[in-house]
Amino acid sequence: MSNQRTVDAVVIGAGFGGIYAMQKLANEQGLDVVGFDLADGPGGTWYWNRYPGALSDSEGYVYQYFFDKDLYQDTTWKNTYLTQPEILSYLEGVVDRFDLRKHFRFGTGIVSSHYIDADNEWELTTDSGDTIRSTYVVNAVGLLAAVNLPDVPGRDSFEGRLVHTARWPEDLNLAGKRVAVIGTGSTGQQFATAAASQVAELGVHVRTPQYSVPVGLRAMRDGEVEQYHADFEKTRDTVFSSALGFGIDEVERSLWDFTDEERQEIFAKAWEQGGGFRFMFSTFGNLASDEDANLVAGEFIKDRIREIVKDPETARKIMPEGLHARRPLCDNGFYEIFNLPHVEAVNISETPIDEITQSGIRTSDGKHREYDVIVFATGFDAVDGNYRRMDLTGRNGVQINETWGTDPQSYLGVTTAGFPNWFMVLGPKGPFCNLPSAIETQVEFISDLIAHARQADVATIEPSTDAEERWSEVCRDLAKGSVFGKVDSWVFGANIPGKKPSVLFYLGGLSAMKEILAEEVEAGYPNLISQGPRESSDKGLDRALVNQ
Ligand code: FAD
Ligand code: NA7
């Protein structure tokens, strides 16, 4: 790459988002596009998260693209949920099917993106010092991709293997090893459940126990995948016209309209069928909004934990408390592993980790446990993390951190004021749902917007700060009505020391988001394209305000 190269568009990231953005911009629009990913190949999340047990918690029939019927009908899957190797292989197949590999430079990170005001262009620098100029930048840098590796005292002194689940090394064989896992979110639970059958000893370090229900993993039945293929249009329409895109029934009925016995029956059926989102959104319509109803659901799960975990003291150590209001979790036998003699629950809110030593972990009760491997399943600096990790400046050299402060902004989750011709896939204040479906929706919006701007000879796509502020207000108001903001988790940026919690998602649902985007398009992008002095319009926001 030479210093002089100028392209139409740069795509950063080669996960679901970057791959589809490349397909739209390079293949469909015929633009000159270069893609970059730090990873040595495509896949994004599924390139990096190779830890034992890594599994989707969206079902296989919705955790894929819907933009191409032939692709959907040529895709088969073995079980109700998808393992990491299956998803990685699917995404690699998509890249090859659409001949996209030639557009990407893998193993190459973008360290800075600067808007050059005088030229109305972006200048990007790679980690090897190359620069490239581009009219448009599409960031598909992932919302669960900026690794959180907490600075536990002594961390770097450990002489065994210390790994983060999202940077899993291929050569790490856990067989017969003494293994500690720190963290019991979705990842920690998946890892611990899978590792329990491989390792000699497993110390599960639990800080905040979480509610989890069975995932319901089972083999696809004869003819089931073929039926999904045949029902392509129906499934696609169901997914995109739903709030969550998970392919589950989204019920409205209130828990309070049922007797205790009926509630137990409904919860038991969902428990049997499996799926975290199903348990929360297909049982009753008010678990995510009504704290008391939510607590009833929590009690049901606590009863199951008491039944499953034989030793009451162990059950106590992993027992969740309070609202069931993090991203709903599901597992493939997590609670059951605590009945195994070589699996120990270490509650590190009761006995915090004092230090990691050369050979293990010392907790505040003075106990030193020896380990060969320590696994950090400590999650991500979610949503805005990867933007803040770049040297990123917009108009007049203003840094993204300065623009966003502690509350990352966007208009409709895809653009932000002061950053012209610069787009985000799954940026802050985008929809909270099955993410490949959100990605398709956003990439199509971005691609159509770029096509429109080029055709209409519009030099600059950028939201007004006013439109952005009103979008924030929509997101804030929706968050107020949800239990999710009432507990600390990555969903509200409340999992990273020093990060101030903020509203990171639009909780109005995928279908409503789609309608809002469509209105913006139909109205001629009034909040994104200005001819002459910028005036903001309410048009694209009408639907959002109506839906509140
Ligand atoms: P990613 O797949 O995260 O890809 C982003 C890419 O950008 C990465 O490869 C990264 O290397 C690259 N990148 C970032 N910054 C730079 C830079 N500066 N320079 C170069 N490259 C850069 N979602 C669901 O809806 N359902 C699920 O079941 C589900 N399961 C999940 C399980 C796990 C273990 C994890 C971690 C996430 C899961 N998710 C799930 C969320 C998942 O991240 C999304 O579904 C989806 O894969 C996101 O795709 P993406 O392309 O937006 O980002
Ligand atoms: P999560 O859900 O953020 O979980 C991280 C876990 O790590 C959680 O149990 C945390 O405890 C724990 N953690 C984080 N920092 C520390 C420190 N410093 N010490 C001890 N324990 C710590 O991340 P996941 O990867 O599991 O899941 C993220 C999403 O990716 C998930 O929803 C899926 O969509 C895929 P805490 O709860 O903060 O007390």
Side-chain angles (χ1 to χ4, degrees), residues 322-360:
L323 291 172
H324 175 19
R326 293 183 171 201
R327 188 180 187 277
L329 296 193
C330 48
D331 65 83
N332 194 28
F334 176 66
Y335 296 122
E336 284 81 351
I337 65 170
F338 293 98
N339 294 327
L340 297 169
H342 65 288
V343 177
E344 180 189 11
V346 185
N347 185 312
I348 52 168
S349 67
E350 284 173 5
T351 54
I353 295 176
D354 269 354
E355 60 168 344
I356 293 179
T357 67
Q358 288 178 354
S359 59

Side-chain angles (χ1 to χ4, degrees), residues 51-52 161-165 168 174 178-196 199 201-207 334 337-338 343-348 353 356 361 369-379:
Y51 60 86
R161 293 289 291 271
L162 189 144
V163 295
H164 190 285
T165 43
W168 194 262
L174 297 177
R178 298 165 303 171
V179 177
V181 55
I182 301 177
T184 50
S186 170
T187 303
Q189 291 193 355
Q190 287 186 347
F191 169 75
T193 308
V199 304
E201 283 173 32
L202 183 66
V204 183
H205 294 67
V206 187
R207 191 165 69 175
F334 176 66
I337 65 170
F338 293 98
V343 177
E344 180 189 11
V346 185
N347 185 312
I348 52 168
I353 295 176
I356 293 179
I361 298 178
R369 294 172 178 83
E370 304 252 324
Y371 295 112
D372 305 308
V373 180
I374 299 179
V375 176
F376 276 61
T378 44

Side-chain angles (χ1 to χ4, degrees), residues 136 395 411-412 415 420-421 423 445-464 467 520-521 523-537:
Y136 303 105
R395 276 190 194 287
Y411 180 56
L412 308 182
T415 56
N421 297 332
F423 305 95
F445 179 81
I446 294 166
S447 172
D448 290 350
L449 178 51
I450 290 175
H452 172 86
R454 287 171 60 82
Q455 202 198 0
D457 216 11
V458 170
T460 306
I461 302 162
E462 185 188 353
S464 64
E520 183 75 29
V521 177
Y525 304 103
N527 295 295
L528 287 162
I529 287 174
S530 67
Q531 310 284 359
R534 182 174 296 284
E535 276 173 32
S536 90
S537 154

Side-chain angles (χ1 to χ4, degrees), residues 12-18 36-39 43-46 48-49 51 55-58 63 108-110 140-145 187 190 246 327 380 386 390 425-426 433-436 439:
I12 313 177
F16 268 98
F36 295 92
D37 200 305
L38 271 167
T45 292
W46 305 100
W48 294 111
N49 287 269
Y51 60 86
L55 187 77
S56 72
D57 66 357
S58 300
Y63 199 73
T108 308
I110 294 296
V141 296
L143 55 56
L144 290 161
T187 303
Q190 287 186 347
F246 271 81
R327 188 180 187 277
F380 305 91
N386 263 340
M390 274 187 271
V425 180
L426 304 185
C433 61
N434 175 48
L435 292 172
I439 286 169

